[in-house]
Amino acid sequence: MFGCEISHCVAREQDILRNPNSVKCWMRYIDNYKLGPYKKVCVLYERALKQLPGSYKLWHCYLKIRRKYLKTTDDPDYEEVNNVYE
């Protein structure tokens, strides 16, 4: 199974609720899903970026994973990913 066990996920979510401005807490939470569904990982990064829009580390990792799943510049998601940079 990918991701984390239910009890572990709940603990990570509670950690985020207690420390919403901690990049370290968000990265630990997201790391549990790195091998999970792409969309789930993106949603977690987007949640983190709403809380910490000035975090270079979060932006760098988020954009890196978005680019990783693009196949070509003809990919329908290319325009969406490109717009994230603006």
Side-chain angles (χ1 to χ4, degrees), residues 16-81:
I16 293 299
L17 294 173
R18 281 191 303 273
N19 305 296
N21 295 319
S22 170
V23 173
K24 190 180 219 177
C25 289
W26 280 105
M27 291 304 293
R28 275 196 308 252
Y29 190 30
I30 293 166
D31 282 344
N32 286 304
Y33 287 96
K34 286 278 177 140
L35 300 176
Y38 165 72
K39 294 289 184 187
K40 172 72 175 177
V41 175
C42 286
V43 166
L44 290 174
Y45 272 116
E46 290 163 7
R47 279 182 59 198
L49 288 164
K50 281 183 184 176
Q51 187 66 39
L52 298 160
S55 171
Y56 171 82
K57 185 173 187 174
L58 285 170
W59 276 110
H60 177 76
C61 293
Y62 174 62
L63 293 171
K64 188 171 147 184
I65 198 164
R66 292 290 306 258
R67 284 191 320 264
K68 178 181 174 184
Y69 283 92
L70 291 177
K71 293 174 181 45
T72 66
T73 56
D74 296 332
D75 192 311
D77 291 332
Y78 179 82
E79 187 69 29
E80 182 183 339
V81 173

